[in-house]
Amino acid sequence: SMLKAKPLTQAWRGPLPFELPPLVRRTSSAVTRGATLANQVAVVTGSTKGIGFAIARRLAQDGAHVVVSSRKQQNVDQAVVELQGEGLSVSGTVCHVGKAEDREPGGHGALKHCGGVDFLICVAGVNPLVGGILGSSEQVWDKMLNVTVKAPALLLTQLLPHMEKRKGGSMILISSVGAYMPYSKLRAYNVSKTALLGLTKALAVELAPKNIRVNCLVPGVIDTAFSQVVFEDPSLWTYMKALCGTQRVGQPEDCAGIVSFLCSSDASYITAESIMVAGCSFHL
Ligand SMILES: NC(=O)c1ccc[n+]([C@@H]2O[C@H](COP(=O)([O-])OP(=O)(O)OC[C@H]3O[C@@H](n4cnc5c(N)ncnc54)[C@H](OP(=O)(O)O)[C@@H]3O)[C@@H](O)[C@H]2O)c1
Ligand SMILES: *[C@@H]1O[C@H](CO)[C@@H](O)[C@H](O)[C@H]1NC(C)=O
Ligand SMILES: *[C@@H]1O[C@H](CO)[C@@H](O)[C@H](O)[C@H]1NC(C)=O
């Protein structure tokens, strides 16, 4: 009968009882600003897994061409295949940041085709669990300082001519919440991460005349393979919770948006800054 409700599909057949706005109107004009990093090139070290991988993916999603790298060819290939499979513009190269030959732009072969570098993001780090200061051997110190502190500065020196071909640039170092707080088992690591805060300030001043900004990302506990050793020591997590009410462990993606922002022109007046992504913060 007439009173019987029509199935929905039938009810919607025929002209709609109202006018839909034209399709273009439903996409805000803001999408033209979506690719904030279009036509720019990013080099991200230690980017085949974890935080570096999430950063590489985000920078590419925001329009940059990204050169991913790490020590192992197999990991590089895997990361490149995965990101290219998502339709992203990436290339890859092996780069152990502690090895001089790998830091040469030749080692970053992909760069030759890029016409310059806009962003250098130094994510590669050293496994943190090396014990106390007094127990750390000279070799541990060398490795820690080589990879964490010296490598970003030396890599920058190598890539600077490529960065100077562009209008300006952005460098981002990755420190750690450990830079601010003494925790028994991570001391040499923490000291190397504290040094990065100083390196950020010093490089920012030195590179300002070249219009290259230098900032520092300071992650808290982020869920990656690297931090599993930290999770194995529950006292750290208990400490973080008690000290600053941190409610959850961070994910690599939590670190990615801020890096994209710091590279973007929206951050063009931000340099020498360090920003915690830790579910808490120790700055005033
Ligand atoms: N996860 C955390 O809770 C946390 C907190 C604060 C700070 N951070 C910092 O964030 C950075 C990344 O950590 P993550 O947790 O993302 O680690 P992850 O998941 O273990 O990934 C590390 C990545 O770096 C590469 N890598 C390691 N040593 C390298 C070297 N010498 N040269 C070049 N690439 C290297 C690894 O690939 P290959 O094995 O192929 O080299 C991998 O792609 C580190 O600097 C770490 O200190 C992490
Ligand atoms: C640290 O770097 C120096 C200078 O390049 C090198 O001689 C040394 O072997 C490196 N040490 C480690 C442990 O990586
Ligand atoms: C090292 O880092 C952890 C967190 O990553 C922190 O809790 C600890 O206090 C730091 N220790 C130092 C500087 O020895």
Side-chain angles (χ1 to χ4, degrees), residues 45-52 69-72 75-76 95-98 122-126 147 174-177 189 193 218-227:
T45 72
S47 52
T48 59
K49 285 186 192 147
I51 295 171
S69 61
S70 76
R71 292 166 302 180
K72 301 186 193 105
N75 292 343
V76 173
C95 176
H96 181 324
V97 296
C122 299
V123 187
V126 175
V147 169
I174 314 293
S175 177
S176 162
V177 62
Y189 170 81
K193 291 298 192 182
V218 187
V221 182
I222 308 293
D223 185 10
T224 68
F226 178 90
S227 59

Side-chain angles (χ1 to χ4, degrees), residues 5 10 17 24 28 50 52 62 67 78 84 101-102 123-124 129 146 172 179 194 216 219 230 232 236 253 271 284:
Q10 249 181 9
V24 281
S28 118
D62 289 343
V67 183
Q78 209 171 16
Q84 285 181 345
E101 62 274 24
D102 282 7
V123 187
L129 260 199
N146 277 6
I172 295 168
T194 307
C216 191
V230 176
E232 279 161 21
L236 169 63
E253 292 72 26
T271 190
L284 280 181

Side-chain angles (χ1 to χ4, degrees), residues 34-256:
T36 46
L37 309 178
N39 303 317
Q40 298 188 285
V41 175
V43 169
V44 187
T45 72
S47 52
T48 59
K49 285 186 192 147
I51 295 171
F53 183 75
I55 290 172
R57 173 185 271 148
R58 177 60 185 262
L59 297 181
Q61 286 172 342
D62 289 343
H65 173 79
V66 179
V67 183
V68 300
S69 61
S70 76
R71 292 166 302 180
K72 301 186 193 105
Q73 183 73 57
Q74 194 191 332
N75 292 343
V76 173
D77 293 345
Q78 209 171 16
V80 167
V81 164
E82 185 170 346
L83 295 176
Q84 285 181 345
E86 294 171 13
L88 299 172
S89 174
V90 302
S91 50
T93 185
V94 167
C95 176
H96 181 324
V97 296
K99 291 189 177 165
E101 62 274 24
D102 282 7
R103 287 191 301 260
E104 283 165 14
H108 271 90
L111 294 183
K112 276 184 238 128
H113 312 291
C114 295
V117 174
D118 301 275
F119 315 127
L120 172 58
I121 323 296
C122 299
V123 187
V126 175
N127 189 310
L129 260 199
V130 296
I133 297 280
L134 297 179
S136 297
S137 67
E138 184 163 7
Q139 207 198 351
V140 162
W141 275 113
D142 283 349
K143 188 177 172 194
M144 198 64 91
L145 297 176
N146 277 6
V147 169
T148 308
V149 187
K150 277 163 59 181
L154 294 171
L155 185 58
L156 171 71
T157 309
Q158 290 285 343
L159 296 187
L160 198 56
H162 295 266
M163 295 183 84
E164 287 180 303
K165 286 184 199 159
R166 316 289 274 193
K167 273 178 276 173
S170 171
M171 178 180 189
I172 295 168
L173 301 168
I174 314 293
S175 177
S176 162
V177 62
Y180 294 110
M181 44 195 247
Y183 174 75
S184 58
K185 291 189 188 152
L186 300 170
R187 289 177 212 152
Y189 170 81
N190 285 1
V191 169
S192 75
K193 291 298 192 182
T194 307
L196 281 184
L197 302 174
L199 184 63
T200 302
K201 300 280 177 202
L203 282 177
V205 172
E206 202 164 325
L207 293 180
K210 300 187 189 296
N211 198 25
I212 297 173
R213 298 175 294 105
V214 186
N215 291 291
C216 191
L217 172 71
V218 187
V221 182
I222 308 293
D223 185 10
T224 68
F226 178 90
S227 59
Q228 297 313 306
V229 285
V230 176
F231 291 133
E232 279 161 21
D233 177 2
S235 65
L236 169 63
W237 184 240
T238 311
Y239 181 57
M240 292 283 293
K241 253 188 120 157
L243 190 69
C244 41
T246 310
Q247 294 295 304
R248 67 170 175 90
V249 168
Q251 295 301 317
E253 292 72 26
D254 289 319
C255 298

